Amino acid sequence: MPSLFRFLAVLAVIAGAIYGAMWALVVFVEPQERDVTIRIPSERINPPATGAINPSKK
């Protein structure tokens, strides 16, 4: 039984360390704001004609 308690204590210490690290990141790290520019090729916005059959012409 003592080995079970030791195992659970080690797991609790590891979980506490992870929780503490996450808390420290939240409290002490400030994100930097910056502008993001994403270039979209004109082919994606206005695709070239594919030569499909026009349904209005018969």
Side-chain angles (χ1 to χ4, degrees):
M1 204 57 149
S3 63
L4 176 63
F5 291 137
R6 194 175 328 147
F7 175 69
L8 292 176
V10 168
L11 287 181
V13 168
I14 292 172
I18 292 172
Y19 184 80
M22 289 172 48
W23 178 82
L25 283 173
V26 167
V27 171
F28 296 117
V29 176
E30 287 292 325
Q32 297 177 357
E33 292 185 10
R34 60 182 181 169
D35 292 334
V36 177
T37 303
I38 300 174
R39 295 191 180 269
I40 301 174
S42 62
E43 291 85 21
R44 289 189 62 190
I45 297 172
N46 299 321
T50 59
I53 300 173
N54 191 348
S56 62
K57 293 183 181 180
K58 288 189 176 183

